[in-house]
Amino acid sequence: MPRTNLLNTVDVTLKVLLGNGLRYAVPPYQRDYSWREEHWDDLWSDLMDVAEREDAQHYMGAIVIQQRNREEFIVIDGQQRLCTLSLIALASVALLEERATAEIQKDDNRERSQLLRNGFLGTKDPGSLRYQSKLSLNRNDDAFYQGTLLQLHEPLAPARLGDSNRLLWEAYRFFKTRLAQRFPAPED
C-alpha cells in the first residue's frame, strides 16, 4: 500500500504566512480569545530578545491550518497566537497613525501604516471603505475584531465588553503601550 503524507509541515515566517494574500478563518466552534497579560508579556519579551540579536529567530509554535479553498484556510490550532500577532500589527498601525496625525514624520508614518495594514492585516474594500481582514475570528470575537479593532475604533463601553472581547481590547492596548515605550516619538 503506498504511503501518503497526511500532514504537510512547513516552516514559514509571519510575513510569508500573512503577507501572501490568503485569508485565515477561525471556525465558529473554536474557543474564544483567552490570552492574558502573562501570555502577552512572554510574547513581548521573546520579540524583544529577537530584536536585540541580529541573527535571532523566534519559534512561534505550530499553527495547524486546513485549506478551505484557493484563498482561505481554516485555523485548526494556533488561533490565540495568530490573533495576538495581528493585535501587535494593529497596535503598530494605530501608533503610526497617531504620529502621522500629530505631524510626526507624517507621510512616512502614513506609508508605514499602510504597508503594515496591507501586509499583515488586510485591505480596504473599495465599496464600503472598510478594512477586510486576512483573519476572521470565532463567532464570539469576530464582530468586535472586525468592527472595532480592525477599524481602529475605541469601544463605546469598554467596561461592558464580554470576557474575550475585553481581553482582545486589553491585549491591543498592552501592545500599543509597549510599542510606544520601545519606539518613542522623536523629539523636535
Side-chain angles (χ1 to χ4, degrees):
M1 176 178 258
R3 292 183 73 142
T4 60
N5 185 4
L6 297 176
L7 184 63
N8 183 15
T9 61
V10 180
D11 287 340
V12 297
T13 65
L14 183 63
K15 185 175 182 178
V16 169
L17 183 68
L18 294 179
N20 58 17
L22 300 174
R23 293 186 320 272
Y24 299 90
V26 174
Y29 57 82
Q30 287 282 14
R31 70 184 170 127
D32 294 347
Y33 186 76
S34 63
W35 274 22
R36 298 185 179 276
E37 189 166 349
E38 66 264 16
H39 302 104
W40 310 329
D41 198 45
D42 285 346
L43 177 59
W44 182 256
S45 294
D46 290 346
L47 293 173
M48 292 304 97
D49 287 345
V50 169
E52 297 298 321
R53 299 183 319 216
E54 192 173 308
D55 63 338
Q57 293 184 3
H58 176 67
Y59 178 68
M60 294 301 299
I63 295 177
V64 179
I65 55 176
Q66 177 184 10
Q67 192 164 6
R68 176 183 277 172
N69 57 46
R70 292 180 65 184
E71 297 175 354
E72 188 173 36
F73 288 83
I74 305 294
V75 181
I76 305 300
D77 188 33
Q79 73 270 19
Q80 301 288 318
R81 274 169 291 172
L82 204 52
C83 180
T84 305
L85 291 167
S86 76
L87 294 172
I88 294 171
L90 276 169
S92 300
V93 167
L95 190 60
L96 289 166
E97 286 294 323
E98 285 176 7
R99 290 182 179 173
T101 300
E103 301 289 327
I104 301 169
Q105 299 177 2
K106 180 180 178 178
D107 294 335
D108 289 345
N109 281 331
R110 283 258 152 75
E111 186 173 356
R112 288 179 184 107
S113 170
Q114 274 311 121
L115 290 169
L116 275 174
R117 236 192 215 288
N118 293 339
F120 292 98
L121 298 168
T123 56
K124 203 174 235 189
D125 178 72
S128 68
L129 296 178
R130 292 179 60 86
Y131 280 96
Q132 302 299 309
S133 179
K134 293 181 180 199
L135 176 65
S136 61
L137 302 181
N138 75 358
R139 68 178 164 255
N140 294 326
D141 294 332
D142 196 52
F144 179 72
Y145 179 78
Q146 303 296 333
T148 302
L149 292 173
L150 194 65
Q151 308 307 321
L152 299 180
H153 295 155
E154 186 164 332
L156 296 175
R160 296 207 325 254
L161 291 172
D163 289 343
S164 60
N165 287 185
R166 182 182 38 76
L167 288 171
L168 287 165
W169 176 243
E170 289 174 2
Y172 164 80
R173 291 180 47 225
F174 173 90
F175 289 113
K176 190 173 171 194
T177 299
R178 292 301 186 280
L179 286 162
Q181 292 167 346
R182 174 81 163 103
F183 304 102
E187 295 186 27
D188 293 331

